[in-house]
Amino acid sequence: TEPQGTHRPGLLGRLMGGGREDEPRRVLDDEMLESLEELLIAADMGVDTALRVTSNIAEGRMGRRVSAREIKELLAEEIARVMETVARPLPLYPSKPQVVLVVGVNGSGKTTTIGKLASQFKAAGKSVVIAAGDTFRAAAVEQLQVWGDRAGVPVLTAPEGSDPASLAFDAMTKAQAEGADLLMIDTAGRLQNRADLMEELAKIVRVIRKKDPEAPHNTLLVLDATTGQNALVQTEAFRQLADVSGLVMTKLDGTAKGGVLVALADKFGLPIHAIGVGEQIDDLAPFDPEEFAAALTG
Ligand code: GDP
């Protein structure tokens, strides 16, 4: 697994120009702050967050000579401080099964993330059942079966087009009967039919609550880092459709800067349970705020 942000260009290279990093070359003035803001916005951090982070850095330092390293360290500290509040592994509950509902738009990496999580849980000695709740996408069901095989976890499916809630109910019954530790339920990602999706998710929740009033214990929203600021829009939308309890950000192994995570943390404060760092089964890592901040600030 590559460290977070290996391929990302440094934020500050352009801003500070050449010279030695530890040389206090430039005076911290409005112009420099504006350039800093622009860099943060270009890194998908969002305008509000970029403004706040820069103003925190400016506080008590205006008119002073600063080095690139000092700015970089301050920036990394600010980002890590915001991110520490949301870096949290998926909470585990004693319920059998703990039900994890997984939501997100198609292509975000739901299927892959479910496979990776199932594999991690399995390795931790937990028994897992997966329900292929996106019954309208045959390809998604097949893909989930492939992941289930890889992880050594049973995947419950239903005929194409059948009611996802009834599959969820059956899966819940089976998981309870087997005393499974975890039930992970995949869901459809058709955000373009918002009303349908809302009804579908609500119905799944309704039926599994017949079996356990506390379920689902987690509602995991999967987001794709390469969609940049769109991740904010998706989070807003899914929070209206479901009781989102935490996030997984996928595809942080690519060129995506991942700055949107800072905006997400700032705006919603939802826990970030894990990050996707590749297409293989082991490519799911805990979210490390300091590593992330260091990588983002280059
Ligand atoms: P779903 O439609 O939300 O279920 O998305 P999938 O799980 O099928 O993933 C869509 C594509 O993204 C697939 O090609 C995955 O291999 C890829 N993918 C998922 N997670 C990651 C990740 O963390 N890194 C990379 N590079 N690709 C990923």
Side-chain angles (χ1 to χ4, degrees):
T1 300
E2 302 238 20
Q4 296 167 30
T6 307
H7 310 295
R8 277 168 232 143
L11 276 180
L12 288 158
R14 266 191 302 146
L15 178 62
M16 301 303 277
R20 280 174 44 196
E21 260 209 344
D22 55 357
E23 203 183 329
R25 283 157 51 89
R26 279 190 61 176
V27 170
L28 185 58
D29 56 12
D30 286 335
E31 194 192 326
M32 185 170 165
L33 283 182
E34 247 170 66
S35 311
L36 195 54
E37 277 160 23
E38 275 166 31
L39 282 175
L40 298 182
I41 292 167
D44 284 333
M45 212 172 281
V47 176
D48 296 345
T49 313
L51 291 180
R52 196 138 44 74
V53 165
T54 38
S55 93
N56 285 352
I57 288 174
E59 211 180 299
R61 293 190 184 88
M62 290 302 277
R64 250 184 54 191
R65 268 186 193 283
V66 288
S67 68
R69 180 173 300 164
E70 190 179 356
I71 292 293
K72 200 189 281 190
E73 283 173 3
L74 288 168
L75 193 55
E77 265 171 43
E78 276 297 319
I79 293 170
R81 203 173 49 78
V82 176
M83 301 316 285
E84 261 154 26
T85 61
V86 294
R88 236 173 296 153
L90 189 77
L92 294 178
Y93 302 98
S95 310
K96 278 183 187 275
Q98 170 169 344
V99 181
V100 183
L101 193 65
V102 183
V103 302
V105 300
N106 292 338
S108 61
K110 276 192 307 293
T111 311
T112 309
T113 301
I114 291 171
K116 291 171 176 176
L117 279 171
S119 165
Q120 284 191 354
F121 288 131
K122 191 86 193 298
K126 300 199 176 290
S127 54
V128 185
V129 174
I130 294 173
D134 189 357
T135 58
F136 283 85
R137 274 201 312 164
V141 174
E142 266 169 42
Q143 196 55 32
L144 205 49
Q145 275 173 317
V146 171
W147 278 108
D149 288 344
R150 280 182 198 146
V153 163
V155 178
L156 267 70
T157 62
E160 196 175 341
S162 62
D163 182 9
S166 113
L167 172 69
F169 187 81
D170 291 346
M172 189 72 182
T173 308
K174 179 183 157 74
Q176 278 184 335
E178 291 179 357
D181 296 307
L182 283 130
L183 168 61
M184 303 185 65
I185 304 177
D186 190 18
T187 62
R190 292 168 274 112
L191 201 50
Q192 59 280 13
N193 299 328
R194 207 174 283 207
D196 286 355
L197 186 55
M198 185 188 282
E199 180 45 43
E200 188 168 318
L201 294 175
K203 193 171 171 195
I204 292 173
V205 169
R206 236 171 19 244
V207 303
I208 57 177
R209 283 198 177 147
K210 288 189 203 296
K211 299 240 129 208
D212 179 352
E214 312 258 286
H217 303 82
N218 320 85
T219 300
L220 215 59
L221 172 62
V222 178
L223 297 167
D224 173 348
T226 65
T227 64
Q229 290 288 294
N230 214 303
L232 288 166
V233 180
Q234 288 173 21
T235 305
E236 197 103 59
F238 273 99
R239 272 161 54 94
Q240 285 163 20
L241 302 182
D243 190 10
V244 176
S245 62
L247 307 175
V248 172
M249 179 67 77
T250 65
K251 308 185 196 180
L252 272 171
D253 49 308
T255 51
K257 295 191 175 79
V260 70
L261 273 173
V262 186
L264 282 164
D266 202 32
K267 188 152 189 216
F268 301 106
L270 287 165
I272 301 167
H273 295 314
I275 56 168
V277 291
E279 298 186 81
Q280 304 304 312
I281 200 153
D282 292 328
D283 293 333
L284 188 75
F287 178 71
D288 180 332
E290 282 184 15
E291 197 181 323
F292 171 81
L296 193 61
T297 51

